[in-house]
Amino acid sequence: MKIVSIILLALGLSFGANAQFKKASVHATGLTCAMCSKATYEALESLPFVDKIDTDLDNTTFVLIFKTGVPVSIDAIKDKVEDAGFSVGKLVMTASFDGVSVQNDAHVPFAGSTLHFMDVKNQVLSGDKDLTVIDKDFVSAKQFKKFSTETTMACYKTGMMGDCCKSDGAAASKRIYHVTI
């Protein structure tokens, strides 16, 4: 009976692995030399969910390929870039969807995170889709201000779940990532 339970648990985990982030393209701002790029590369390489990194030094962009089945922390990516002394100019996450319904200005649980879709058409997402993270510290101040007109929910300004968006008993301190397609 114990073996049957373990097999069922393993099957459940493998089916849940379909909803995941596959890779990210991180544009780092402020890089001025090869040493800057190397420091950022090494910082990103230390993330436990990163399998491989491709670089485009002409555009100061790092493409992070994620390990399958390992949870990805969007904030950890930003933190590593900042720890190297730079900032994120743009972060595009590639996510694998399987019939996920999204609506404009609505929250969707995905891969252990909560995504707040903004400036999107109502649609069902299937396959790989690129999501641009539009939270503060992931876009310029001008872009952040522009996107702030797309919602009346306070969570966009704080990045945290508020009374406007709590559901299923989720804590008000839960992180929400605001994204657009």
Side-chain angles (χ1 to χ4, degrees):
M1 184 66 176
K2 192 176 192 180
I3 293 173
V4 171
S5 297
I6 292 171
I7 291 171
L8 290 174
L9 178 63
L11 286 173
L13 290 176
S14 67
F15 290 125
N18 289 339
Q20 68 178 22
F21 292 108
K22 296 177 81 174
K23 66 180 181 176
S25 174
V26 184
H27 173 74
T29 59
L31 301 177
T32 58
C33 66
M35 293 303 289
C36 298
S37 297
K38 183 176 189 227
T40 306
Y41 180 93
E42 289 174 350
L44 291 168
E45 189 177 42
S46 72
L47 291 166
F49 49 84
V50 171
D51 186 39
K52 177 183 167 191
I53 301 176
D54 292 326
T55 58
D56 177 357
L57 297 181
D58 291 334
N59 296 311
T60 62
T61 301
F62 301 86
V63 177
L64 313 176
I65 310 299
F66 302 132
K67 295 176 182 173
T68 303
V70 179
V72 173
S73 170
I74 296 171
D75 281 331
I77 295 169
K78 176 186 70 73
D79 292 344
K80 288 295 183 177
V81 171
E82 289 176 351
D83 289 349
F86 308 99
S87 56
V88 173
K90 184 175 186 179
L91 177 63
V92 178
M93 305 287 293
T94 302
S96 179
F97 291 96
D98 186 16
V100 176
S101 179
V102 298
Q103 297 177 343
N104 189 48
D105 208 19
H107 298 110
V108 174
F110 181 81
S113 295
T114 299
L115 304 178
H116 180 156
F117 283 84
M118 294 174 52
D119 197 25
V120 299
K121 294 178 183 173
N122 296 350
Q123 59 191 295
V124 175
L125 301 178
S126 292
D128 292 351
K129 300 291 180 198
D130 289 340
L131 308 175
T132 302
V133 179
I134 56 172
D135 281 329
K136 189 174 187 176
D137 298 327
F138 289 93
V139 294
S140 70
K142 183 178 179 179
Q143 289 173 311
F144 182 76
K145 185 176 181 180
K146 174 194 166 270
F147 281 114
S148 69
T149 64
E150 299 291 328
T151 185
T152 58
M153 294 187 198
C155 62
Y156 184 62
K157 289 187 171 78
T158 64
M160 304 303 277
M161 190 170 286
D163 291 336
C164 61
C165 47
K166 283 197 301 187
S167 63
D168 303 327
S173 61
K174 183 174 170 49
R175 179 72 161 99
I176 292 180
Y177 296 99
H178 298 82
V179 297
T180 192
I181 299 173

